[in-house]
Amino acid sequence: MPLKGFSVPLSPEGRASLTPVPPWHYVGDILAVDFAAHPAAVAALLPPGLEPDPEDPGGCVAFFVSWQYASDAGDEYLDPARSQYNELLLLVNAVYRGGASAAAGAGIGAGPAGGAAGAGAAALAGRRVQTCPYIYVDKDTSMARGWIQGWPKKFGEVHTTRAFPLTCKAGGPVAPGARFGGTLAANGRRLAEAVVELEGVSADPVYLGKRPVVNMRYFPQLAGRATAPAPVWELVRSIMSGVQRTDVWEGSATLRFFPAPDNELDALQPLEVRRGYRYSMAMTIEDLEVLETVRAGN
Amino acid sequence: MPLKGFSVPLSPEGRASLTPVPPWHYVGDILAVDFAAHPAAVAALLPPGLEPDPEDPGGCVAFFVSWQYASDAGDEYLDPARSQYNELLLLVNAVYRGGASAAAGAGIGAGPAGGAAGAGAAALAGRRVQTCPYIYVDKDTSMARGWIQGWPKKFGEVHTTRAFPLTCKAGGPVAPGARFGGTLAANGRRLAEAVVELEGVSADPVYLGKRPVVNMRYFPQLAGRATAPAPVWELVRSIMSGVQRTDVWEGSATLRFFPAPDNELDALQPLEVRRGYRYSMAMTIEDLEVLETVRAGN
Amino acid sequence: MPLKGFSVPLSPEGRASLTPVPPWHYVGDILAVDFAAHPAAVAALLPPGLEPDPEDPGGCVAFFVSWQYASDAGDEYLDPARSQYNELLLLVNAVYRGGASAAAGAGIGAGPAGGAAGAGAAALAGRRVQTCPYIYVDKDTSMARGWIQGWPKKFGEVHTTRAFPLTCKAGGPVAPGARFGGTLAANGRRLAEAVVELEGVSADPVYLGKRPVVNMRYFPQLAGRATAPAPVWELVRSIMSGVQRTDVWEGSATLRFFPAPDNELDALQPLEVRRGYRYSMAMTIEDLEVLETVRAGN
Amino acid sequence: MPLKGFSVPLSPEGRASLTPVPPWHYVGDILAVDFAAHPAAVAALLPPGLEPDPEDPGGCVAFFVSWQYASDAGDEYLDPARSQYNELLLLVNAVYRGGASAAAGAGIGAGPAGGAAGAGAAALAGRRVQTCPYIYVDKDTSMARGWIQGWPKKFGEVHTTRAFPLTCKAGGPVAPGARFGGTLAANGRRLAEAVVELEGVSADPVYLGKRPVVNMRYFPQLAGRATAPAPVWELVRSIMSGVQRTDVWEGSATLRFFPAPDNELDALQPLEVRRGYRYSMAMTIEDLEVLETVRAGN
C-alpha cells in the first residue's frame, strides 16, 4: 500500500500530509501598500533570470492578508484552528529576461527538466513581472504549500484590522475615512507596520495578480556538505484560477520596516509610500508553470 | 507624581497598565449556540444569590466571538496585534434571588460596601438572568478587564470561521446554507467545537445581553494562608452601553465539549443542542452595577 | 454544594480554577542582571508607602526565570504544557516607611482591614526593601497567582539560554566563560534583552529574596464608572518558604530595554549594568503578609 | 551580487535565510520511550526501499527533545527566542533493502543523480535501520532544516519536564524515582503524552543514532497539476558528527497517542510500552548521505 499525500509527511491515509493534493481554495481580506524602495535594494533581491524594471525599479507592494482555506474534498474552513492563517507577502518589480537569455546569463542549462525554456517562458520574455523575496505566515500548512510553489515562506505573526458591518470607535465597515492597520512580528521582534486610510473605490487599483508573479522555487541539497547545487532551482510562474475580487478601495498609507538580525526586510525601507488598498479576494491554486531551470542540480 | 492607569501595573505614564481607564469600545463577530445541559450541572455552577431557572434550568449559550477593541483616546484598532482577541463565553440560566434573600441564605451581610443590597438588586430580584461560569480569551488585556468585571477569564485559543463578501469553497458571506465553525483549546487540548448552518434571519434571536447578566466578582486573599474570605466577593450586573447589532441569523447547530484535567466544561455537555446564531455587535463598557456583597472580606 | 477553587473560575470540582489552593511549589533556573536606572525613573514607580533608597536610589535587578510548578496534591510537573512557564521579573530598590508614616503621608487609613498597620509593618519600617513595578509571564495560571500576591503580571514571551551537562557551540554547563542570554517580547515587540558571561561562584550574590519584597496588591472597581477607590489596595510582603538555592555564579552582563506603546520598561534603561548572576532555586508559596492598606475601598 | 543563504529566502546578506550554511550545532535534553506498535501499522509507514524488521517489526521509539541551536559563526544560543525549540521525533524499525533491490522493486532508476546506488547504500544493504515517519517541532528554522534532511517536520507544541539541580515537589534532578513527562499538541489538539520514571543508569540504552536512520527526502512538484513525480525523492542516511552523550538513565514508561483529523499518530498506538530513557546529547550536522533515488522526477 503506497504512502499517500502531496507533501511530507506521506502517510497511509494521506491525512498527516501538511497539505492534501490540490486544488487548494482560498478566500481572504487584503490590505496592500504600494511603495518604492531603493532600486539597488530591489535589484539585490532579484534571482537569476529577472532584471530590474526600468520603468519602476524600486516598485514594491506589501500585502497583509487574513486567509481562510479549504481543500477540494474537505470542510477545513469549519475547523478554523486549522484553516485560518495570516500572511505578509512582499512583491518587488522586475522584468523577466526569458529562458534563452537566462541560460546564457547563468551559463547553465535552462528550461523544465534541464532542457529548453518552455512556451510560457517565451510568452513572458521581456515582460514586466513581480517576484516575492520575502513572505511570512503563521501556519505550517501554508509554509509547506508556499515552498512547493516558490514562495519563500517563514514564520511570522501577522495581524490586520478587520472590517465590521457596524461603525464604532473600535472599527467599522469599508467606507471613506475608515482606517486599517497591519503588523508583522517574528521571533518576538516587530518587523513591519502599516496603516491605510480609505478614500474610495480605486479607479486603477493595485492587487495580487495584477502583474505576472515569477518566483524562484528552491530546495537545497545537504549531501556533499552542502556544496552541491540545489536539486530544485527553477523560475516558476504563479497560477491562480477562479479569481474573484470585490471592489478595491484606495487611500493614503504609511509603511515602516524594522531591523532584526535574522531578517533583511528593512533594506526595503520605503523611500516613498504611494497608496494603500483594501479588498477581498477568492481563488484556487492547482497548478504552477515552470519557466526555466536556473541551474540543474543532481 | 502618582502612579497612573486603571489596572496593574500602574505606571508613571499609565501606558503600562493592562487596561486604560474606561470606556472600552468593542466590535465583534459572534457565533452563538443555544443548548441545554443537565440541570444539575448548571445548578452546581451557580454562585450564592442565584438559583436555578425553573422554566429552563439547563439552558445555556456558548458565544464564540472575534473581538476588536479600542479605548476612548486610543487607536488601538490600528495596532491589531494588541487590539484583536478571540473569546468563548458561556452563559447559563438562573434566577436572581435579590439581595435580601441572598443575605438570609448566606447568613452574611449583603449589599455594596457590606450594607443593604442596592436599588438594582431590588429591581432585579426574582428575574430570570444568566451568569458566566467559564470564559476563555487569548489576550492578557481582555483577561484583566474580565476579572475586574466578574468574567472569570482563562486563556484559551478560540477560532471562528470568518464571513467574506465572496463565495467559494473556503467560505463566504452570511447567507442561507452558510456554515461557520468555532473551536476552543487550552494548554494544547481541544475543549469545545461547534458548527452552525444558517437558514435565515431569526425572528426570535438569542444574543449577548438578551437577559441581564449577573456575574460573581471575586478576588481572593492569600494572607493568612488563604483562609480569609475573599476581599472582593460580589454579585455584579454587567452593563453594556451603545449596543448595536446587525440582523441575527439563525440555523441548525452542533456543539461538543471535551474533558481536560484543568477544566470542567464537559460537565455542561449538551443534552440538546437547540439553535445556532450569527451576528455582529458593537458596544461600550464603562460601568458595572454591584448588586450585593456575597460575603464581606477584610 | 459550594463552588470550589482558590481563584476564578470557581467550579464544582475546583479543577477549573486558574490556581488551586496553596501551597504552590516552584523550581526554576534564574538569570539575573543587577543594574542602575535613573533614580528619578525608579522613584516614579514607587507606590505610596515606599520611598527611594538613599543608599542606592537607582538600584534594580532583572530576573529572567524558567519555572516549573506543582501544587501540593498534584503532579502538574508531569504535564509540562501546564506546569512550565517563563518570567521576567523587575525589582527596584526602596525603603519602607512603615504603616504609620504611610497613613500620614497618604492621608488615609492604614493597616490591614483599614486599621493600624500590622506587626510586620512595624518590623519592616525604615528597612531597605525592593518592589516589583513590572513582571511578565507566559501562562495564565501564573498571571492569576501573581495578581493575588501583588505581582503586577502581564503577558510576555520570555526565553533564557539553558544550561546543559555537555559542552558544545550551542551551549554548555554553568562554568567560567559560559554565556547565557535572556529576552522578553510582548505583543510582537522585543522589550528586553540581556547577556551574562559567568566568571565564578559569587562571594556576594544578588538573588531573589535577598531583600524583603514589598508589592502593591491592587484590584480596581469598575462600578461607579471607575471613580471608586480600588477595593483591594494594600502593601504586602512576599513570603517564600522552603527556599533552596544552588551556588550563585557571577559575571559580566549587558542589559537593554526597548520602547513600546503599551509598556514603560525603557524608562528604566540602565545607566550602569553591574553584574550578572545565574543559579537555580526552589521554594514554596503559601502565605502573604499584608503590611498596610494604602487606601480603603468599599 | 548573488543571493546568499542555504535555504529560502535567499537574500543579499544571507541573514534572512531560514537556515544558514551548515554546520549546525545542537545540544538537547532527551526523554525517549521505546515501544511496540502493531507491525502492520509500522509496515504501512515504510517508504519504498525499506522493509519490516523481521526481528522486531513493531519496534518504535518516541523522543521528546528540548533543543538549543547555534550555527558555526553565530551565537544564536544567546538569543534563545530564536535558538531554542522543542521536538517530538518518532522512529520506527525497518531493514534497508539496498539500492539494487530498491531499483528492481520500484521499477525505476536508483542511486544518486538517477544512477546506481552509492557505496553507502551497498554498505547499509540488509541492515536493520530506523526511519522517521512523523516529527513535530515548534520553530520554522528547524522545520526547514528538517525538510532538507528528510525529516518530515510539521508544527507541534512539545513540552518536556525539565531536570533541576534541586529537589522539590515541582521537579528535581536526574535520580532514581525522578519522573519526567512529555506532551505534544498541534492545532490545539493533544496528540501524545508520556511519563518516564527513572530507575538508574541504563546498561543497554536506547538513544538517538543507535541504529542508522534512513529517511525519505521528498519535495513535490505542483507544475502539471501535481501529476509529475516529485523532483526530490531520495532515501538518505542521517549523519551526526561530534556526538556527545551523558549517561542514559532508564526506567518504566507510559505513552499514549490521541486521534486528530490531520494526523495519523494514533495508528502507532502502543501495544506494549517497553522502557523509558533520559539523557542529554550534543552533536553537529553538516552532511547527509544520499543512498538512492526512489524515483527520478524531472
Side-chain angles (χ1 to χ4, degrees):
Chain A
M1 186 180 68
L3 293 166
K4 295 178 187 164
F6 184 62
S7 76
V8 293
L10 302 183
S11 65
E13 298 181 33
R15 289 188 291 113
S17 175
L18 272 163
T19 183
V21 174
W24 306 317
H25 308 285
Y26 303 85
V27 59
D29 291 329
I30 301 184
L31 186 72
V33 178
D34 190 28
F35 68 101
H38 197 293
V42 172
L45 285 167
L46 301 183
L50 297 183
E51 292 176 347
D53 176 355
E55 295 182 42
D56 184 11
C60 305
V61 191
F63 297 88
F64 296 82
V65 196
S66 302
W67 290 115
Q68 197 164 276
Y69 156 83
S71 70
D72 213 25
D75 284 339
E76 290 93 340
Y77 75 100
L78 298 179
D79 190 1
R82 280 199 289 147
S83 68
Q84 292 177 341
Y85 65 99
N86 297 283
E87 186 166 88
L88 174 56
L89 186 168
L90 267 286
L91 289 181
V92 302
N93 282 356
V95 167
Y96 176 58
R97 294 191 302 188
S101 59
I108 46 178
L124 207 57
R127 284 184 58 186
R128 300 176 70 198
V129 300
Q130 289 180 316
T131 190
C132 176
Y134 303 124
I135 178 169
Y136 299 82
V137 292
D138 56 11
K139 197 76 91 192
D140 57 351
T141 51
S142 171
M143 194 162 126
R145 286 193 299 258
W147 291 353
I148 292 168
Q149 298 173 71
W151 300 101
K153 296 191 181 184
K154 296 172 70 171
F155 257 67
E157 295 169 44
V158 182
H159 292 86
T160 314
T161 305
R162 294 175 70 152
F164 290 91
L166 297 166
T167 300
C168 76
K169 289 190 176 177
V174 172
R179 291 189 294 164
F180 294 85
T183 61
L184 167 69
N187 290 327
R189 285 185 176 94
R190 178 156 288 196
L191 299 182
E193 61 188 28
V195 173
V196 173
E197 179 165 352
L198 300 182
E199 295 167 6
V201 173
S202 180
D204 182 20
V206 166
Y207 54 86
L208 189 60
K210 186 173 188 177
R211 282 191 187 193
V213 173
V214 174
N215 284 329
M216 186 172 72
R217 210 172 95 96
Y218 186 89
F219 191 75
Q221 178 57 277
L222 179 61
R225 293 178 178 259
T227 57
V232 175
W233 196 354
E234 303 167 336
L235 289 189
V236 296
R237 178 176 179 172
S238 179
I239 299 177
M240 301 189 295
S241 58
V243 174
Q244 304 176 63
R245 264 190 306 275
T246 59
D247 280 347
V248 178
W249 282 64
E250 180 181 339
S252 60
T254 63
L255 174 69
R256 290 180 64 199
F257 296 122
F258 303 93
D262 52 351
N263 283 283
E264 300 177 35
L265 261 180
D266 56 324
L268 292 175
Q269 195 64 259
L271 301 182
E272 174 201 6
V273 178
R274 294 165 179 174
R275 300 289 278 172
Y277 301 89
R278 193 192 183 282
Y279 64 102
S280 301
M281 81 173 291
M283 59 153 176
T284 293
I285 292 190
E286 57 186 325
D287 203 356
L288 184 73
E289 181 179 4
V290 178
L291 296 171
E292 58 182 273
T293 299
V294 173
R295 179 166 177 183
N298 58 323
Chain B
M1 186 180 65
L3 292 167
K4 296 177 186 164
F6 184 63
S7 76
V8 293
L10 302 184
S11 65
E13 298 181 34
R15 290 187 291 113
S17 174
L18 272 163
T19 182
V21 174
W24 307 317
H25 308 286
Y26 303 86
V27 60
D29 292 328
I30 300 185
L31 186 72
V33 178
D34 190 27
F35 68 101
H38 196 292
V42 172
L45 286 167
L46 301 183
L50 297 184
E51 291 177 346
D53 176 356
E55 296 182 42
D56 183 12
C60 305
V61 191
F63 296 88
F64 296 83
V65 196
S66 302
W67 290 114
Q68 196 164 276
Y69 156 83
S71 69
D72 213 24
D75 285 339
E76 290 93 339
Y77 75 100
L78 298 179
D79 190 2
R82 281 199 290 147
S83 68
Q84 293 177 341
Y85 66 98
N86 298 282
E87 187 166 87
L88 175 56
L89 187 167
L90 267 285
L91 290 181
V92 303
N93 282 356
V95 168
Y96 177 58
R97 295 190 302 187
S101 58
I108 46 178
L124 207 57
R127 283 184 58 188
R128 299 176 71 198
V129 300
Q130 288 181 316
T131 191
C132 176
Y134 303 125
I135 177 170
Y136 298 82
V137 292
D138 56 11
K139 197 77 89 190
D140 57 351
T141 50
S142 171
M143 196 161 124
R145 286 194 298 259
W147 292 352
I148 293 168
Q149 296 174 71
W151 300 101
K153 295 191 182 185
K154 297 171 70 171
F155 256 69
E157 295 168 44
V158 182
H159 292 87
T160 315
T161 305
R162 295 176 69 151
F164 289 92
L166 297 166
T167 301
C168 76
K169 290 191 176 176
V174 171
R179 290 188 295 164
F180 294 85
T183 62
L184 167 70
N187 291 327
R189 286 186 176 94
R190 178 156 288 196
L191 299 182
E193 61 187 29
V195 173
V196 172
E197 179 166 351
L198 301 182
E199 296 167 5
V201 173
S202 179
D204 182 20
V206 166
Y207 54 86
L208 190 60
K210 186 173 189 178
R211 283 191 185 192
V213 173
V214 174
N215 284 329
M216 185 173 72
R217 211 172 93 97
Y218 186 90
F219 191 75
Q221 178 56 279
L222 179 61
R225 293 180 180 256
T227 56
V232 176
W233 195 354
E234 304 167 336
L235 289 189
V236 295
R237 178 177 179 172
S238 180
I239 300 177
M240 301 188 296
S241 59
V243 174
Q244 305 176 62
R245 262 190 306 275
T246 60
D247 280 347
V248 178
W249 283 63
E250 179 180 340
S252 60
T254 63
L255 174 68
R256 289 180 65 198
F257 296 124
F258 302 93
D262 51 352
N263 284 282
E264 300 179 35
L265 260 182
D266 56 323
L268 292 174
Q269 195 65 258
L271 301 181
E272 174 201 7
V273 178
R274 293 165 178 172
R275 300 289 279 171
Y277 302 88
R278 192 193 183 282
Y279 65 102
S280 301
M281 82 173 291
M283 61 154 174
T284 293
I285 293 191
E286 56 187 324
D287 204 355
L288 184 73
E289 181 179 4
V290 178
L291 296 170
E292 58 182 271
T293 298
V294 173
R295 179 167 178 184
N298 60 321
Chain C
M1 186 179 67
L3 292 167
K4 296 177 186 163
F6 184 62
S7 77
V8 292
L10 302 183
S11 64
E13 299 180 32
R15 290 188 291 114
S17 174
L18 272 164
T19 182
V21 174
W24 307 317
H25 308 287
Y26 303 85
V27 59
D29 292 328
I30 301 186
L31 186 72
V33 179
D34 190 27
F35 68 101
H38 197 293
V42 172
L45 285 167
L46 300 182
L50 297 184
E51 290 176 347
D53 176 356
E55 295 182 42
D56 184 12
C60 305
V61 191
F63 297 88
F64 296 83
V65 196
S66 302
W67 290 114
Q68 197 164 274
Y69 156 83
S71 69
D72 213 26
D75 284 339
E76 291 92 340
Y77 75 99
L78 298 179
D79 190 2
R82 281 199 288 146
S83 68
Q84 293 178 340
Y85 66 99
N86 298 283
E87 187 166 88
L88 175 55
L89 186 166
L90 267 285
L91 289 181
V92 303
N93 282 356
V95 167
Y96 177 58
R97 296 191 301 188
S101 58
I108 46 178
L124 206 58
R127 284 185 56 189
R128 299 177 70 197
V129 301
Q130 289 181 313
T131 190
C132 176
Y134 303 123
I135 178 170
Y136 298 82
V137 292
D138 56 11
K139 197 76 89 192
D140 56 351
T141 51
S142 171
M143 189 164 136
R145 285 193 299 257
W147 279 45
I148 292 167
Q149 296 175 70
W151 300 102
K153 296 192 182 183
K154 298 171 69 171
F155 257 67
E157 296 169 44
V158 182
H159 292 87
T160 314
T161 305
R162 294 174 71 151
F164 290 91
L166 298 166
T167 300
C168 76
K169 291 192 175 175
V174 171
R179 290 188 295 164
F180 294 86
T183 61
L184 167 69
N187 290 328
R189 285 183 176 95
R190 178 157 289 197
L191 299 183
E193 62 189 28
V195 173
V196 173
E197 180 167 350
L198 300 182
E199 296 167 5
V201 173
S202 180
D204 183 19
V206 166
Y207 53 86
L208 189 60
K210 186 173 189 178
R211 283 190 185 193
V213 173
V214 174
N215 285 328
M216 185 173 72
R217 212 172 92 97
Y218 186 91
F219 191 75
Q221 178 56 279
L222 179 60
R225 292 181 180 258
T227 57
V232 175
W233 195 356
E234 304 166 337
L235 289 189
V236 296
R237 178 176 179 171
S238 180
I239 299 177
M240 301 189 296
S241 58
V243 174
Q244 305 176 62
R245 261 189 307 275
T246 59
D247 280 347
V248 178
W249 283 64
E250 178 180 340
S252 60
T254 62
L255 174 67
R256 290 180 64 198
F257 296 124
F258 302 93
D262 52 351
N263 284 282
E264 299 178 36
L265 260 182
D266 57 322
L268 292 174
Q269 195 64 259
L271 300 182
E272 174 201 5
V273 178
R274 294 165 180 174
R275 300 289 279 171
Y277 301 89
R278 193 191 182 282
Y279 65 102
S280 300
M281 82 174 289
M283 61 154 174
T284 293
I285 294 191
E286 56 187 325
D287 203 354
L288 185 73
E289 181 179 6
V290 179
L291 296 171
E292 58 182 274
T293 299
V294 173
R295 178 166 178 183
N298 60 320
Chain D
M1 186 178 68
L3 293 167
K4 295 177 187 163
F6 184 62
S7 77
V8 292
L10 302 183
S11 65
E13 299 181 32
R15 289 188 292 113
S17 175
L18 272 164
T19 182
V21 173
W24 306 318
H25 307 286
Y26 303 85
V27 60
D29 291 328
I30 300 185
L31 185 72
V33 178
D34 190 28
F35 68 100
H38 197 292
V42 172
L45 285 167
L46 300 183
L50 296 183
E51 291 176 347
D53 176 356
E55 295 181 42
D56 184 11
C60 305
V61 191
F63 297 89
F64 296 82
V65 196
S66 302
W67 290 115
Q68 196 164 277
Y69 155 83
S71 70
D72 213 25
D75 284 340
E76 290 93 339
Y77 75 99
L78 298 179
D79 190 2
R82 280 198 290 146
S83 68
Q84 291 177 341
Y85 66 97
N86 298 284
E87 187 165 87
L88 174 56
L89 186 167
L90 267 285
L91 289 181
V92 303
N93 282 355
V95 167
Y96 176 58
R97 294 191 302 189
S101 59
I108 45 176
L124 207 57
R127 283 185 57 189
R128 298 175 72 197
V129 299
Q130 289 181 315
T131 191
C132 176
Y134 304 124
I135 178 170
Y136 298 81
V137 292
D138 57 11
K139 197 76 91 191
D140 57 350
T141 50
S142 172
M143 190 163 135
R145 285 193 299 258
W147 279 44
I148 292 168
Q149 298 174 71
W151 300 101
K153 296 191 181 183
K154 299 171 68 170
F155 257 66
E157 295 169 44
V158 182
H159 292 87
T160 314
T161 304
R162 294 175 71 151
F164 290 91
L166 297 166
T167 300
C168 76
K169 289 191 177 176
V174 172
R179 289 189 296 164
F180 294 86
T183 61
L184 167 70
N187 290 327
R189 286 185 175 95
R190 178 155 288 196
L191 300 183
E193 61 188 30
V195 173
V196 173
E197 180 167 350
L198 300 182
E199 296 167 5
V201 174
S202 180
D204 182 20
V206 166
Y207 54 86
L208 189 60
K210 186 173 189 178
R211 282 192 187 191
V213 173
V214 174
N215 284 328
M216 186 172 72
R217 211 172 94 97
Y218 186 89
F219 192 75
Q221 178 56 277
L222 179 61
R225 293 181 178 257
T227 56
V232 175
W233 195 356
E234 303 166 338
L235 289 189
V236 296
R237 178 176 178 171
S238 180
I239 299 178
M240 301 189 295
S241 58
V243 174
Q244 304 175 63
R245 261 189 308 274
T246 60
D247 280 346
V248 179
W249 282 64
E250 180 181 339
S252 61
T254 62
L255 175 68
R256 289 180 64 199
F257 296 123
F258 302 94
D262 52 351
N263 284 282
E264 300 178 35
L265 261 181
D266 57 323
L268 292 174
Q269 195 65 259
L271 300 182
E272 174 200 7
V273 178
R274 295 166 178 172
R275 300 288 279 170
Y277 302 88
R278 194 193 183 280
Y279 65 103
S280 300
M281 82 174 289
M283 61 155 174
T284 293
I285 292 190
E286 56 187 325
D287 204 355
L288 184 73
E289 181 179 5
V290 179
L291 296 172
E292 58 182 274
T293 299
V294 173
R295 180 168 176 182
N298 58 322

